[in-house]
Amino acid sequence: MLGAILLSACALGQLLDEPAARGKDGLAVSRAALEAVVLERFGYAETGREFLELFLKARLLDSLASQRGIVVGDAEVTRRWQELEKRSQASGQPLADEIERRNLTPEQFRDFLRLALVQEKLTRAALGIARGVEVSGDKQEVWLQQEISTRGLELLPPSSGSGGILARCGEVTVERTEFARFLYERLERTDLEESAWHLLLLSALEKSMPDLSPDARQRAVDEEVARRRRKHEAEFPTVTFEQRLGATGRTLESLRRDPSVAIAALSRLWVDRTAGPEGVRRAYEEERELFEARYGEAVRAALLFRVAGRFVNDLCPRTFEQAEEELRKLAARVSNHTEFVAQVERLSEEPGTKKQQGDLGWVMRGEARVPKELREALFHLLETGGTIPEQGRLIGPVRLDSGCALLWASARRPSPSWEEMSERVHEELRRRFMERVMPRASVELLTPDE
């Protein structure tokens, strides 16, 4: 039944042009603009379709109740709320906590209860179930799905306008603007914050380039879309760019309207204007060590980890010395990558890498996800004239804060060409520029009365 998902449809009022978020230097974005972006980004994706189904079911239930004279009064809703509170108290899980976890206001939850009672009464009447006999959730859901199937469900393609119909189910229609508000109120806060940040960042970028003509802006966006198409074609030659967009609920037109595309285009244009090839090269030379650590020479490595510490206790099964001796004996029995992987699956106590058969991927000198001790062990081999043979080689044991490790180094990748490195430097200059004009941390979502 609809009630099992703990979400409800609200009556949607006219869209207000109120500030929804603000950022650095007093820049703000309206609720209307943010809802429009949210609808395009999420409305046709998996999350949005789930919310649309809930919204449409709620609208259909209200329509059927009106047609068939079904009424649910406030007293009935209050009784159902009290019943749920008693059950939740008995189970030790407060109902208020569940309502908050589901990102609902008390008013929205009350409407959810009303709709659950409406669905129960409609199902009882349609199936001829006598009063007092329980109507199972399965029966309610089957009945509602049959009603939807009889009317037919039509999801209309994305539109460039803010208005218009998004979906139809018989006599019931869903307007784009009303669903945008419903979606806005139920999305994860992090999704709303990112969308608000992108709108504010785009405004800040445009403010930083007051001389940019509309034609130049459009060319920059076109070039960014073309760049993304080329990247896609190189990575997925058997799938078209449009097909990949469609799989995520997007179209080429909605992609062009997304602020993230304009952000990428304008930040690239800004670096080209202010730095150019010479400035990019100069930035690299000034911070060569940083860029090489992040994007330069790399070693392909795998990890076998054993928990250890200074003392043996309930949480620590062995000392560092015991772990190191154990790993040294193990190393003497491992002569190739296949044998190393087998030992990882048998002995490694680091769950994340164990799932990947120990694989750490390509490790650079400044790879933040890999402990410093492991990186130093890998690159000490190269710095002291060591090599990585075709079959690979073992390194270690290496002592870490919480244990000891063996590493299998299987290949070395040299620092990339300047063509590739210059793009990395360009990307870093763009990131720094965006962080300067509109830091993510400066963005604040506003409540209606702020």
Side-chain angles (χ1 to χ4, degrees):
M1 69 186 261
L2 179 61
I5 309 180
L6 284 179
L7 285 168
S8 65
C10 299
L12 300 179
Q14 184 177 0
L15 188 65
L16 300 177
D17 194 24
E18 58 194 10
R22 63 182 171 218
K24 183 182 175 183
D25 298 330
L27 287 178
V29 59
S30 71
R31 174 73 177 256
L34 186 50
E35 286 186 6
V37 169
V38 161
L39 180 63
E40 289 218 320
R41 287 186 169 183
F42 301 100
Y44 290 81
E46 182 178 355
T47 299
R49 287 173 184 263
E50 292 175 359
F51 283 130
L52 178 61
E53 182 180 4
L54 289 168
F55 186 77
L56 194 61
K57 284 179 177 180
R59 295 292 297 274
L60 179 58
L61 286 172
D62 277 332
S63 177
L64 291 173
S66 177
Q67 294 171 21
R68 300 173 189 181
I70 300 292
V71 178
V72 173
D74 289 341
E76 290 179 89
V77 176
T78 299
R79 281 196 299 273
R80 177 60 60 89
W81 188 308
Q82 291 170 344
E83 290 171 5
L84 289 175
E85 280 191 324
K86 287 180 181 179
R87 293 178 197 170
S88 64
Q89 288 172 1
S91 65
Q93 298 176 336
L95 183 59
D97 291 350
E98 180 66 13
I99 294 172
E100 183 178 354
R101 189 177 71 82
R102 296 289 180 172
N103 197 28
L104 295 170
T105 65
E107 293 76 17
Q108 290 168 348
F109 184 70
R110 188 174 181 86
D111 195 55
F112 145 73
L113 293 180
R114 180 187 65 79
L115 285 166
L117 289 165
V118 166
Q119 183 172 349
E120 184 179 320
K121 287 188 175 185
L122 285 168
T123 305
R124 187 183 300 279
L127 302 182
I129 299 174
R131 181 178 296 182
V133 178
E134 182 182 359
V135 185
S136 70
D138 287 343
K139 287 182 179 179
Q140 293 184 49
E141 185 60 26
V142 168
W143 166 78
L144 186 55
Q145 289 297 338
Q146 287 176 340
E147 291 288 340
I148 293 173
S149 178
T150 298
R151 289 162 175 75
L153 175 59
E154 181 184 12
L155 180 63
L156 303 182
S159 165
S160 60
S162 60
I165 295 174
L166 178 70
R168 293 192 186 95
C169 183
E171 74 281 5
V172 175
T173 61
V174 176
E175 299 286 335
R176 287 172 57 85
T177 51
E178 62 183 354
F179 181 64
R181 169 156 288 195
F182 178 82
L183 188 60
Y184 178 98
E185 291 173 347
R186 282 158 180 77
L187 275 179
E188 293 290 337
R189 186 176 180 88
T190 53
D191 291 328
L192 292 179
E193 287 175 344
E194 181 174 67
S195 295
W197 175 49
H198 284 171
L199 285 169
L200 290 164
L201 175 56
L202 181 55
S203 294
L205 292 177
E206 291 173 337
K207 189 177 179 181
S208 299
M209 306 171 73
D211 61 328
L212 187 65
S213 70
D215 287 345
R217 184 188 192 282
Q218 187 58 51
R219 283 195 301 273
V221 170
D222 290 343
E223 290 169 4
E224 176 61 28
V225 172
R227 189 177 295 108
R228 296 186 182 201
R229 181 186 291 276
R230 290 193 298 271
K231 181 179 179 182
H232 162 84
E233 290 171 349
E235 295 177 354
F236 306 96
T238 62
V239 180
T240 69
F241 189 48
E242 286 76 6
Q243 286 173 332
R244 189 179 178 195
L245 288 173
T248 59
R250 309 296 297 275
T251 66
L252 192 58
E253 291 70 29
S254 68
L255 177 68
R256 289 179 180 277
R257 292 192 295 268
D258 195 288
S260 66
V261 174
I263 288 168
L266 296 188
S267 61
R268 179 178 291 274
L269 182 58
W270 187 88
V271 172
D272 287 343
R273 281 175 151 195
T274 58
E278 298 81 5
V280 170
R281 185 76 195 206
R282 186 166 53 252
Y284 168 75
E285 295 296 346
E286 291 173 352
E287 300 182 72
R288 178 189 288 265
E289 186 175 341
L290 179 147
F291 288 113
E292 288 294 335
R294 289 184 182 176
Y295 312 114
E297 185 179 30
V299 177
R300 189 65 185 257
L303 172 75
L304 189 159
F305 178 79
R306 299 289 279 169
V307 173
R310 292 182 61 192
F311 306 104
V312 175
N313 54 46
D314 291 341
L315 299 177
C316 183
R318 61 191 70 85
T319 66
F320 286 121
E321 292 77 15
Q322 289 171 336
E324 288 168 340
E325 180 61 22
E326 176 187 324
L327 291 178
R328 273 191 287 269
K329 291 179 179 179
L330 176 64
R333 304 194 303 270
V334 173
S335 60
N336 58 57
H337 184 258
T338 300
E339 292 175 355
F340 184 80
V341 168
Q343 296 300 331
V344 168
E345 293 175 344
R346 188 171 72 90
L347 297 172
S348 187
E349 296 173 332
E350 202 294 299
T353 53
K354 187 172 184 175
K355 291 179 182 178
Q356 306 299 322
Q357 297 183 317
D359 187 30
L360 293 173
W362 289 102
V363 179
M364 275 77 74
R365 295 175 190 271
E367 188 70 63
R369 63 186 176 84
V370 176
K372 179 181 178 182
E373 295 87 349
L374 298 181
R375 287 181 276 131
E376 288 179 345
L378 288 170
F379 285 96
H380 177 73
L381 169 69
L382 302 179
E383 290 164 356
T384 55
T387 61
I388 300 175
E390 185 176 346
Q391 70 271 21
R393 66 181 294 170
L394 272 171
I395 299 174
V398 180
R399 185 179 293 194
L400 304 170
D401 288 342
S402 57
C404 297
L406 278 181
L407 290 164
W408 184 270
S410 55
R412 170 188 173 272
R413 186 181 68 192
S415 187
S417 66
W418 172 243
E419 180 181 9
E420 182 179 340
M421 182 61 82
S422 65
E423 178 57 30
R424 297 290 193 177
V425 178
H426 200 290
E427 180 181 324
E428 175 62 16
L429 295 179
R430 299 196 302 268
R431 187 198 65 78
R432 292 177 184 180
F433 170 55
M434 292 186 286
E435 180 64 19
R436 186 168 70 251
V437 299
M438 186 57 65
R440 174 70 181 267
S442 72
V443 176
E444 177 188 8
L445 290 178
L446 305 176
T447 56
D449 54 355
E450 282 187 283

Short mmCIF file of all heavy atoms in Angstrom, two decimals, residues 35-55:
data_model
loop_
_atom_site.label_atom_id
_atom_site.label_comp_id
_atom_site.label_asym_id
_atom_site.label_seq_id
_atom_site.Cartn_x
_atom_site.Cartn_y
_atom_site.Cartn_z
N GLU A 35 14.17 25.07 -7.90
CA GLU A 35 13.23 23.99 -8.19
C GLU A 35 13.32 23.57 -9.66
O GLU A 35 13.20 22.38 -9.99
CB GLU A 35 11.81 24.42 -7.85
CG GLU A 35 11.53 24.45 -6.36
CD GLU A 35 10.07 24.72 -6.04
OE1 GLU A 35 9.25 24.77 -7.00
OE2 GLU A 35 9.75 24.90 -4.86
N ALA A 36 13.54 24.53 -10.56
CA ALA A 36 13.67 24.20 -11.98
C ALA A 36 14.87 23.30 -12.23
O ALA A 36 14.81 22.34 -13.00
CB ALA A 36 13.77 25.48 -12.81
N VAL A 37 16.00 23.62 -11.58
CA VAL A 37 17.20 22.78 -11.73
C VAL A 37 16.98 21.40 -11.13
O VAL A 37 17.35 20.38 -11.71
CB VAL A 37 18.42 23.47 -11.09
CG1 VAL A 37 19.60 22.51 -10.99
CG2 VAL A 37 18.81 24.70 -11.89
N VAL A 38 16.37 21.36 -9.95
CA VAL A 38 16.10 20.09 -9.29
C VAL A 38 15.22 19.21 -10.17
O VAL A 38 15.46 17.99 -10.30
CB VAL A 38 15.42 20.35 -7.93
CG1 VAL A 38 14.71 19.10 -7.41
CG2 VAL A 38 16.44 20.83 -6.91
N LEU A 39 14.20 19.78 -10.80
CA LEU A 39 13.31 19.00 -11.65
C LEU A 39 14.07 18.41 -12.83
O LEU A 39 13.90 17.24 -13.17
CB LEU A 39 12.16 19.89 -12.15
CG LEU A 39 11.15 19.19 -13.06
CD1 LEU A 39 10.45 18.06 -12.31
CD2 LEU A 39 10.12 20.18 -13.60
N GLU A 40 14.91 19.22 -13.47
CA GLU A 40 15.65 18.72 -14.64
C GLU A 40 16.69 17.68 -14.25
O GLU A 40 16.94 16.73 -14.99
CB GLU A 40 16.31 19.88 -15.38
CG GLU A 40 15.31 20.77 -16.10
CD GLU A 40 15.84 21.25 -17.43
OE1 GLU A 40 17.03 21.60 -17.50
OE2 GLU A 40 15.06 21.29 -18.41
N ARG A 41 17.32 17.85 -13.10
CA ARG A 41 18.37 16.92 -12.69
C ARG A 41 17.82 15.60 -12.16
O ARG A 41 18.41 14.54 -12.37
CB ARG A 41 19.26 17.55 -11.61
CG ARG A 41 20.19 18.61 -12.14
CD ARG A 41 21.14 19.11 -11.08
NE ARG A 41 22.19 19.93 -11.67
CZ ARG A 41 23.20 20.47 -11.00
NH1 ARG A 41 23.30 20.26 -9.70
NH2 ARG A 41 24.11 21.19 -11.61
N PHE A 42 16.70 15.67 -11.43
CA PHE A 42 16.23 14.48 -10.73
C PHE A 42 14.85 13.99 -11.18
O PHE A 42 14.49 12.85 -10.89
CB PHE A 42 16.18 14.75 -9.23
CG PHE A 42 17.51 15.14 -8.64
CD1 PHE A 42 17.81 16.47 -8.38
CD2 PHE A 42 18.46 14.18 -8.36
CE1 PHE A 42 19.04 16.84 -7.85
CE2 PHE A 42 19.69 14.54 -7.82
CZ PHE A 42 19.98 15.86 -7.57
N GLY A 43 14.08 14.84 -11.85
CA GLY A 43 12.70 14.49 -12.17
C GLY A 43 12.55 13.25 -13.02
O GLY A 43 11.59 12.48 -12.85
N TYR A 44 13.48 13.02 -13.95
CA TYR A 44 13.39 11.88 -14.85
C TYR A 44 14.36 10.77 -14.49
O TYR A 44 14.43 9.74 -15.15
CB TYR A 44 13.62 12.32 -16.30
CG TYR A 44 12.49 13.14 -16.85
CD1 TYR A 44 12.38 14.50 -16.57
CD2 TYR A 44 11.49 12.57 -17.62
CE1 TYR A 44 11.33 15.27 -17.06
CE2 TYR A 44 10.43 13.31 -18.12
CZ TYR A 44 10.36 14.66 -17.83
OH TYR A 44 9.31 15.40 -18.32
N ALA A 45 15.16 10.98 -13.45
CA ALA A 45 16.08 9.95 -12.98
C ALA A 45 15.35 8.97 -12.07
O ALA A 45 14.16 9.15 -11.77
CB ALA A 45 17.25 10.60 -12.24
N GLU A 46 16.04 7.95 -11.60
CA GLU A 46 15.38 6.91 -10.81
C GLU A 46 14.73 7.47 -9.55
O GLU A 46 13.58 7.14 -9.24
CB GLU A 46 16.41 5.84 -10.43
CG GLU A 46 15.82 4.68 -9.65
CD GLU A 46 16.84 3.60 -9.33
OE1 GLU A 46 17.99 3.73 -9.80
OE2 GLU A 46 16.49 2.65 -8.62
N THR A 47 15.43 8.35 -8.85
CA THR A 47 14.87 8.93 -7.62
C THR A 47 13.60 9.71 -7.92
O THR A 47 12.59 9.59 -7.23
CB THR A 47 15.90 9.85 -6.95
OG1 THR A 47 17.05 9.09 -6.60
CG2 THR A 47 15.32 10.51 -5.71
N GLY A 48 13.66 10.54 -8.97
CA GLY A 48 12.51 11.35 -9.33
C GLY A 48 11.31 10.51 -9.74
O GLY A 48 10.16 10.83 -9.41
N ARG A 49 11.57 9.43 -10.47
CA ARG A 49 10.45 8.57 -10.90
C ARG A 49 9.77 7.91 -9.70
O ARG A 49 8.56 7.71 -9.71
CB ARG A 49 10.96 7.52 -11.88
CG ARG A 49 11.31 8.10 -13.26
CD ARG A 49 11.97 7.06 -14.14
NE ARG A 49 12.37 7.61 -15.41
CZ ARG A 49 11.68 7.52 -16.54
NH1 ARG A 49 10.52 6.91 -16.54
NH2 ARG A 49 12.13 8.05 -17.66
N GLU A 50 10.55 7.55 -8.70
CA GLU A 50 9.95 6.98 -7.49
C GLU A 50 9.06 8.00 -6.80
O GLU A 50 7.94 7.67 -6.38
CB GLU A 50 11.06 6.51 -6.54
CG GLU A 50 11.84 5.31 -7.05
CD GLU A 50 13.00 4.94 -6.15
OE1 GLU A 50 13.20 5.64 -5.13
OE2 GLU A 50 13.70 3.98 -6.45
N PHE A 51 9.53 9.22 -6.69
CA PHE A 51 8.72 10.27 -6.07
C PHE A 51 7.49 10.59 -6.94
O PHE A 51 6.42 10.88 -6.41
CB PHE A 51 9.55 11.53 -5.86
CG PHE A 51 10.47 11.46 -4.68
CD1 PHE A 51 11.80 11.79 -4.80
CD2 PHE A 51 10.00 11.06 -3.43
CE1 PHE A 51 12.66 11.72 -3.71
CE2 PHE A 51 10.84 10.99 -2.33
CZ PHE A 51 12.18 11.32 -2.47
N LEU A 52 7.66 10.56 -8.26
CA LEU A 52 6.53 10.84 -9.15
C LEU A 52 5.44 9.78 -8.98
O LEU A 52 4.25 10.11 -8.97
CB LEU A 52 7.00 10.88 -10.60
CG LEU A 52 5.89 11.13 -11.64
CD1 LEU A 52 5.21 12.47 -11.39
CD2 LEU A 52 6.46 11.06 -13.05
N GLU A 53 5.86 8.54 -8.83
CA GLU A 53 4.88 7.47 -8.62
C GLU A 53 4.09 7.71 -7.34
O GLU A 53 2.86 7.56 -7.31
CB GLU A 53 5.58 6.11 -8.57
CG GLU A 53 4.62 4.95 -8.39
CD GLU A 53 5.32 3.61 -8.34
OE1 GLU A 53 6.56 3.58 -8.35
OE2 GLU A 53 4.62 2.58 -8.26
N LEU A 54 4.77 8.10 -6.28
CA LEU A 54 4.09 8.40 -5.02
C LEU A 54 3.14 9.58 -5.18
O LEU A 54 1.99 9.55 -4.71
CB LEU A 54 5.13 8.72 -3.94
CG LEU A 54 5.96 7.53 -3.44
CD1 LEU A 54 7.13 8.04 -2.62
CD2 LEU A 54 5.10 6.59 -2.63
N PHE A 55 3.62 10.62 -5.85
CA PHE A 55 2.80 11.82 -6.03
C PHE A 55 1.56 11.50 -6.87
O PHE A 55 0.45 11.94 -6.55
CB PHE A 55 3.65 12.89 -6.72
CG PHE A 55 2.99 14.22 -6.84
CD1 PHE A 55 2.89 15.07 -5.74
CD2 PHE A 55 2.44 14.65 -8.05
CE1 PHE A 55 2.29 16.30 -5.85
CE2 PHE A 55 1.83 15.89 -8.15
CZ PHE A 55 1.75 16.72 -7.06
#
